[in-house]
Amino acid sequence: METDGTYESRDTRGGAVPRPAGFTGDPGATASGPAGEPAAGRPASGGQQPSAHPAGAADRPVPPASPVVPRTRSVVPPPPAHAPTRVGVAEWLRIPRPAAEPGVWRLGHRPRPQEEPDLVPARRLFAGAVISLLSGWLLWSLLWNGYLGRYWLWPLLVLTPDSWRTDAETWATASYAYYTLVGGGFLVFFARIGHVPDIWRRYAHKKDAPPPPPSPAADPVDWPELRDAGLTEAAGTLADATRRGTLGDVDYARIRRAWHGVRTRPERLAAFTEAVRTRGAAACGHPSGVRDLPVRSATHDLATAQVLIGTAADHPRNPYARRTTGVALEPGLLGTSLLAVGPAGAGKTVRLVRPVVESLCLQALANRAAVVAVTSHGPALGPDESFDVVVSVGRPDSTHDLDLYGGADDPDEAARILAEALVGDLVADSRRAATALAQLIGPFRAAHDRFPAVPELRELLGGTPAALDALRAAVGDDPAQLRELDARQRQAARGDDVGELLAERIAFLDRPAFARFFRTDGETRQFSLHAVEHPLRVRVDLPERGHAEASRIVSRLLLAQFSEAILARRDRSLFACLVLDDATYTVTGESVRSVQRLRSANAGVLLALRSLEDVPEALRGPLLGAVGCRMAFAGIAPWDGGRFAETWGTEWVQTRDVTNRQIISDEPLTKALHFMRRVVTGKAATAEAVTVREVERQRWSASDLAHAVPAGHAVLSLTHVRGEHTPPLLVDLRS
């Protein structure tokens, strides 16, 4: 059955999708087929894996843990002692998720009023209540004791028959009932005058009332969409797994993704039904067979594809409706790309990059996304078991090599990508460099049916006579390729030839540490960015220690390859994201233009920088304009803050100017009173003049961003791919 490659098992270049790093499980456990066809290996089995969450998350609903299939023999670290108890899957699904503005954590969200209510101060509120109730008690006492006459009893005399007054017991019952009615009316009347209901709502009313249970027809636990489509048996199987807790949040998201695929491709219905019948909660599995991450460090909601990164601070700069609400990221926001700037130690990796990577890995297991995370060597973004592919550049224990040419077959395309990586940060236009590379790698591929390796390319760019003569001999009598070599030879004789610069840059990759990397002879397992057509989890570790320039070249190479692969995808239903934990000297003019085009291809990038000074000055403004989400961490420099302030613009605010002027009087009595007031208070008698006006002010000034953002906080503005956007918010990343 044709599936457009959505669920087939493939490798990073078109063979088979690799297992998670460190995978030592049953080699027969293969991926699911179209729309989740049963795997050939034995089905996945149970086991609940606890997950870690940051302190302070216990006040919000916590999604359930998904059953984890043991796939490695490595020891998974236990969760911290403060990890909150997870709710069951059924209870998690029933938590309301109302529609909200972009970036609002929707799980259990309660909308706030748009403006702050004009609350009466507590002291005045209680004083008024006491005075009102005392007044009511005094009036009741006067009536009860007859000091105001007996006229208030006439309704009782009018509404009761004369026979009741002759019967003492009946009359006493009617009288006390009347007294109770009148006294209750007095109590309600004076309580409302004294704002007692406001006191009850403010201090005594329980605000966290549980939501009403959903109707049986709309209960998500019963999978109503499948029942409405006539798949009663499949819905019953999944509902039973949900109630027993064997179906986790990743399973729920994965099966819903498969069901949506069935609705658009009805020919997959039979395979979907069979997979649910035979495998239950493990149906439609990820090609790796894994159903959850070994450990979680953030709070996720797979039903909305959100990850919680903090709380909007209760600060006057934040709109009242957003204060104290959760702030979350999702593919719809990351699809406009995100730029985060903050000094070392500000929390970019721990509080932003790792939660986002973790969320994308979970969505990849749900067959919803593909993620490529680039970082320095180490488990800063998650353990090896959380990824399908781990490329450790320069380390002998790496299981995969990196394709230098990005899996391209066209020499011009390969030359364009490589030129961007080698000299994109030095030249404004890399087309000359791409032409020089194409004049060499084109003939080399025609002669050897492969692209040149790094040492071979360095010799050709350096103009080594033996290498050029050998290539010319290998080409033979092909006039097109000889013409390319002749053109390269003529350009090499010019004083401004870009070949020397390319040779100097490629030398950073021609080091003993990278001897087994970037090979083109097919002897290593290579990873290509064209694999983002599949729900892969990839981590690339850069050799930053001792090879800083090589790391930057690889980062630019990955960014260029990612942009090229994304724009060439046939199926764009899978969200793809490239995460650069350190994008220093990675941004180029071409990459800025590529970032703008990713939004329409259901993809995005996350770029983390220590300072905008790490970006060429001419590209700082265009970069901030190209991304839809911008984040300034505490401690940024004023000149960086100035760039953000200029991008965020201004807003109209209402200001109050209070002017005090001294009161001067010619009357003797008034003078005496003013003199006594001055003796007692030490201040002259003054009169206040209040002027209210609207002024245009920067949302966040450069000085505020540099000095007024508390530690552990950041200012974040968001834009959704639909066009909705939010003003910059002060976010507490520690809660």
Side-chain angles (χ1 to χ4, degrees):
M1 184 181 296
E2 176 63 25
T3 63
D4 290 341
T6 306
Y7 298 99
E8 282 93 355
S9 175
R10 300 185 179 182
D11 75 11
T12 56
R13 300 197 61 183
V17 174
R19 301 298 176 218
F23 176 82
T24 56
D26 181 10
T30 60
S32 59
E37 288 182 354
R42 57 173 180 253
S45 61
Q48 184 98 354
Q49 176 63 40
S51 301
H53 285 268
D59 58 339
R60 294 190 179 90
V62 182
S66 176
V68 178
V69 182
R71 293 288 176 182
T72 69
R73 294 196 179 108
S74 60
V75 178
V76 177
H82 64 261
T85 303
R86 290 176 171 273
V87 299
V89 181
E91 290 77 7
W92 167 72
L93 286 175
R94 290 174 178 143
I95 298 175
R97 295 168 176 86
E101 296 180 0
V104 174
W105 175 252
R106 292 173 51 196
L107 182 65
H109 171 65
R110 294 182 178 87
R112 290 166 54 93
Q114 293 297 321
E115 296 182 357
E116 184 176 6
D118 188 13
L119 298 177
V120 179
R123 181 177 179 180
R124 189 192 308 172
L125 197 65
F126 280 101
V130 171
I131 294 174
S132 178
L133 293 176
L134 287 177
S135 300
W137 175 78
L138 177 61
L139 179 60
W140 174 256
S141 299
L142 293 176
L143 291 174
W144 180 266
N145 293 309
Y147 292 111
L148 299 180
R150 296 289 179 177
Y151 300 104
W152 66 283
L153 296 175
W154 70 266
L156 176 64
L157 300 176
V158 172
L159 297 176
T160 57
D162 295 338
S163 60
W164 287 17
R165 288 187 286 275
T166 59
D167 188 348
E169 184 177 355
T170 303
W171 180 248
T173 302
S175 299
Y176 280 112
Y178 179 73
Y179 296 155
T180 302
L181 181 63
V182 174
F186 270 60
L187 181 63
V188 172
F189 176 75
F190 284 99
R192 293 186 67 87
I193 292 179
H195 299 286
V196 173
D198 293 341
I199 296 177
W200 171 261
R201 285 191 295 266
R202 189 183 300 187
Y203 298 103
H205 179 59
K206 186 178 180 181
K207 299 181 180 179
D208 296 328
S215 61
D219 192 353
V221 176
D222 290 328
W223 295 79
E225 294 184 2
L226 271 64
R227 293 187 183 276
D228 295 342
L231 304 181
T232 307
E233 182 182 357
T237 301
L238 296 177
D240 182 63
T242 304
R243 290 188 174 91
R244 288 188 288 107
T246 58
L247 183 142
D249 54 351
V250 178
D251 300 325
Y252 173 80
R254 187 186 64 249
I255 296 174
R256 279 188 60 87
R257 157 78 176 181
W259 170 244
H260 290 160
V262 169
R263 295 176 63 182
T264 58
R265 300 286 299 274
E267 63 270 16
R268 299 179 180 177
L269 179 60
F272 174 82
T273 306
E274 179 64 17
V276 173
R277 187 185 67 81
T278 57
R279 304 196 66 189
C284 315
H286 184 262
S288 66
V290 178
R291 295 168 57 190
D292 200 357
L293 298 180
V295 64
R296 301 188 190 183
S297 61
T299 305
H300 306 271
D301 182 23
L302 270 297
T304 57
Q306 288 186 316
V307 55
L308 184 68
I309 63 171
T311 303
D314 190 2
H315 191 274
R317 287 289 184 89
N318 287 343
Y320 183 79
R322 294 300 302 267
R323 297 177 193 173
T324 70
T325 61
V327 178
L329 295 177
E330 58 182 284
L333 298 172
L334 296 174
T336 63
S337 298
L338 189 151
L339 174 66
V341 180
K348 299 188 299 299
T349 299
V350 176
R351 295 179 175 134
L352 173 66
V353 177
R354 175 159 183 165
V356 168
V357 171
E358 192 172 272
S359 174
L360 293 173
C361 286
L362 288 170
Q363 294 176 51
L365 292 178
N367 295 326
R368 288 179 172 181
V371 57
V372 180
V374 185
T375 181
S376 58
H377 181 73
L381 302 185
D384 293 353
E385 293 80 9
S386 296
F387 298 91
D388 299 311
V389 176
V390 176
V391 181
S392 299
V393 181
R395 296 184 63 88
D397 57 348
S398 178
T399 58
H400 286 76
D401 190 2
L402 188 63
D403 191 342
L404 187 65
Y405 301 96
D409 294 325
D410 181 21
D412 292 327
E413 178 186 348
R416 185 173 63 252
I417 295 174
L418 189 55
E420 179 70 14
L422 293 177
V423 298
D425 60 324
L426 297 179
V427 298
D429 189 352
S430 60
R431 285 181 294 182
R432 286 184 56 199
T435 301
L437 285 169
Q439 291 169 345
L440 293 175
I441 66 176
F444 192 96
R445 180 176 177 80
H448 301 284
D449 197 26
R450 63 177 178 86
F451 289 121
V454 170
E456 296 168 331
L457 183 59
R458 182 184 181 185
E459 291 182 349
L460 293 173
L461 289 171
T464 305
L468 292 174
D469 293 342
L471 180 57
R472 185 176 292 272
V475 168
D477 298 331
D478 190 338
Q481 306 304 333
L482 290 175
R483 188 164 52 251
E484 290 286 285
L485 293 175
D486 292 339
R488 173 88 288 272
Q489 187 174 1
R490 288 193 302 269
Q491 292 176 7
R494 298 175 52 180
D496 60 345
D497 179 44
V498 73
E500 295 183 4
L501 180 59
L502 290 170
E504 292 176 1
R505 280 304 183 91
I506 199 68
F508 288 109
L509 301 181
D510 188 19
R511 306 299 303 161
F514 310 131
R516 61 179 297 271
F517 275 83
F518 313 117
R519 298 178 63 176
T520 59
D521 54 7
E523 296 296 327
T524 58
R525 300 175 62 188
Q526 286 192 328
F527 169 73
S528 167
L529 264 296
H530 280 285
V532 293
E533 290 190 356
H534 311 286
L536 277 179
R537 303 166 293 158
V538 183
R539 194 186 77 206
V540 180
D541 296 342
L542 300 178
E544 290 189 350
R545 294 183 179 179
H547 301 281
E549 194 60 43
S551 298
R552 295 166 184 169
I553 292 174
V554 174
S555 296
R556 290 193 295 271
L557 179 67
L558 291 171
L559 181 55
Q561 291 183 1
F562 179 80
S563 303
E564 195 73 27
I566 288 300
L567 297 176
R569 284 194 306 175
R570 295 172 299 173
D571 182 9
R572 297 183 176 182
S573 63
L574 197 72
F575 177 73
C577 187
L578 174 67
V579 180
L580 293 176
D581 189 29
D582 185 4
T584 302
Y585 300 111
T586 302
V587 178
T588 64
E590 182 60 31
S591 65
V592 171
R593 290 186 288 270
S594 299
V595 166
Q596 294 175 322
R597 297 194 296 266
L598 293 178
R599 185 178 307 189
S600 62
N602 194 22
V605 296
L606 191 158
L607 305 174
L609 289 168
R610 296 185 181 92
S611 172
L612 288 175
E613 296 293 317
D614 297 333
V615 177
E617 184 175 2
L619 297 177
R620 294 168 193 170
L623 175 61
L624 285 168
V627 298
C629 304
R630 308 169 187 94
M631 196 169 187
F633 282 75
I636 65 172
W639 44 89
D640 287 344
R643 290 284 185 176
F644 279 96
E646 182 181 358
T647 303
W648 283 328
T650 59
E651 63 179 344
W652 289 97
V653 296
Q654 196 175 72
T655 62
R656 295 168 58 91
D657 296 332
V658 180
T659 304
N660 292 325
R661 63 178 182 84
Q662 185 176 353
I663 301 176
I664 301 176
S665 177
D666 296 332
E667 297 182 3
L669 180 59
T670 305
K671 281 186 175 182
L673 292 176
H674 289 177
F675 175 76
M676 293 178 60
R677 178 177 177 178
R678 185 168 186 175
V679 171
V680 174
T681 64
K683 297 180 180 179
T686 59
E688 284 189 353
V690 180
T691 303
V692 179
R693 59 179 180 173
E694 287 190 349
V695 298
E696 193 174 11
R697 187 189 68 182
Q698 285 186 320
R699 298 179 186 271
W700 282 87
S701 67
S703 178
D704 291 338
L705 290 171
H707 306 294
V709 179
H713 291 63
V715 180
L716 171 66
S717 67
L718 299 170
T719 302
H720 200 276
V721 291
R722 297 188 301 263
E724 305 170 66
H725 59 87
T726 62
L729 303 173
L730 180 63
V731 181
D732 185 359
L733 302 173
R734 301 170 299 182
S735 61

